[in-house]
Amino acid sequence: MANRGGELPFQHRRGDDFDVYFLNNNSGASGNWQFRAVGKVEEWDAATGRITPLNFTSSGEYSTVYLPGALYDSKLIVIRRDKPAVSPNLDSLYYTSYQTVSGTWKVIFTNNFRKAIDTVNLLTLTDWSSITGLSGSFVGTGDYSINFNLLPCPTRPGTLYLI
């Protein structure tokens, strides 16, 4: 992935109806970046779970998005090909208050061979190094899940929002 300012290290995964780009801005460069996918462009915040629609343009098989730079900033950009490639008018968006998700998180750890090696239940999300029984040299993935009730949006009764 490149713009006139240079290269931006990234990892790309393609699903049936989406593309995911994990960006690692090790130069702090800002600019318009081209993604080889067309659809609704969003930034997903892994820390908060918030999904933010981004302004973008589409041409041919590419979407162009302006991303502000910050040194060593990582971003998760999702392009949903199942949604129209129409950039939102960000001035018209509004955000409702957040809903606190509480309960027990179930985490299934799988090794690089996709074999589940451990399952833990957590009341709060924590660093893997603090989980008893999980090796400090563990290499693999953790799949997180939690059940919760989604509250109706107070500004539009009868409508549920998941941000």
Side-chain angles (χ1 to χ4, degrees):
M1 176 177 324
N3 75 0
R4 283 186 230 155
E7 294 289 321
L8 185 65
F10 70 95
Q11 291 290 320
H12 174 237
R13 298 293 180 262
R14 184 174 178 94
D16 290 336
D17 55 3
F18 64 90
D19 286 82
V20 177
Y21 290 84
F22 175 76
L23 312 177
N24 180 15
N25 196 348
N26 57 12
S27 69
S30 296
N32 289 314
W33 300 94
Q34 278 194 332
F35 298 87
R36 190 174 180 178
V38 175
K40 182 179 180 183
V41 182
E42 303 167 330
E43 180 179 351
W44 289 22
D45 187 320
T48 66
R50 184 177 188 136
I51 299 172
T52 305
L54 298 177
N55 278 329
F56 63 93
T57 58
S58 295
S59 178
E61 59 185 26
Y62 292 93
S63 294
T64 303
V65 180
Y66 175 81
L67 297 174
L71 191 58
Y72 303 119
D73 186 25
S74 296
K75 294 188 182 296
L76 194 60
I77 304 297
V78 177
I79 301 176
R80 299 187 331 167
R81 295 187 313 272
D82 62 332
K83 302 294 181 191
V86 177
S87 186
N89 175 356
L90 293 183
D91 295 333
S92 69
L93 294 177
Y94 65 92
Y95 298 98
T96 60
S97 59
Y98 288 101
Q99 175 182 339
T100 301
V101 175
S102 59
T104 302
W105 288 89
K106 178 180 179 182
V107 187
I108 301 173
F109 292 99
T110 56
N111 62 18
N112 287 341
F113 303 106
R114 300 204 182 273
K115 180 180 178 188
I117 61 168
D118 201 0
T119 300
V120 297
N121 293 312
L122 303 172
L123 293 177
T124 58
L125 297 179
T126 184
D127 187 292
W128 288 4
S129 65
S130 66
I131 297 175
T132 305
L134 189 61
S135 168
S137 61
F138 171 75
V139 176
T141 60
D143 293 313
Y144 293 75
S145 63
I146 190 169
N147 292 320
F148 63 94
N149 293 320
L150 186 61
L151 300 174
C153 178
T155 59
R156 293 190 179 180
T159 305
L160 299 176
Y161 287 90
L162 184 59
I163 296 176

